Amino acid sequence: MNLRRDVFQAIADPTRRAILLLLASQSMTAGTIAANFNTARPTVSKHLQILTECELLDQEQNGREIYYHINAKKMKEVADFIEPFRSIWDDRFNKLEAVMKNYRSKNAE
């Protein structure tokens, strides 16, 4: 059975999200990335493979080293998909805040 990897399944894993955060500021090798985690390097390599298959990461060979970096175009697609939900949640939190302020002012009296 050949399963297609999904971007949202990839970012559902906390380790993969941590890898994306690490790579947000600079490109790194697999060894450098693995040094930031308390897991075996093959485990981190599997996470890198999944992120690469989902096109969230790009690889660039520099001599013997392979550097991983964020694929900004793919990350923008994810952000664009999430944006409508962000505004829905912002609206809900604003309403909750108004209710809480009203509740506090009634209890202060």
Side-chain angles (χ1 to χ4, degrees):
M1 176 187 275
N2 187 8
L3 297 176
R4 187 174 90 71
R5 301 231 188 253
D6 179 77
V7 171
F8 295 100
Q9 288 173 332
I11 62 174
D13 184 274
T15 302
R16 290 193 282 271
R17 288 194 307 270
I19 290 170
L20 290 171
L21 287 172
L22 273 174
L23 295 173
S25 60
Q26 66 181 5
S27 297
M28 295 181 183
T29 63
T32 306
I33 295 167
N36 289 279
F37 298 94
N38 287 332
T39 58
R41 184 171 171 168
T43 304
V44 172
S45 292
K46 183 66 176 173
H47 287 301
L48 291 171
Q49 177 187 359
I50 291 168
L51 290 168
T52 303
E53 287 175 9
C54 292
E55 300 176 353
L56 291 169
L57 295 182
D58 289 326
Q59 298 176 344
E60 184 179 325
Q61 183 114 21
N62 188 357
R64 295 183 334 168
E65 300 288 341
I66 296 174
Y67 285 85
Y68 292 88
H69 55 92
I70 295 280
N71 178 350
K73 184 177 177 182
K74 193 66 164 184
M75 291 299 289
K76 180 162 178 6
E77 288 178 26
V78 173
D80 289 346
F81 175 80
I82 292 172
E83 189 57 37
F85 299 102
R86 184 183 328 240
S87 59
I88 290 169
W89 281 104
D90 282 346
D91 184 50
R92 288 182 181 182
F93 284 126
N94 289 337
K95 287 178 182 176
L96 177 61
E97 184 178 25
V99 168
M100 293 303 295
K101 283 181 181 178
N102 188 21
Y103 176 77
R104 286 184 191 137
S105 66
K106 283 184 180 180
N107 285 341
E109 295 174 357

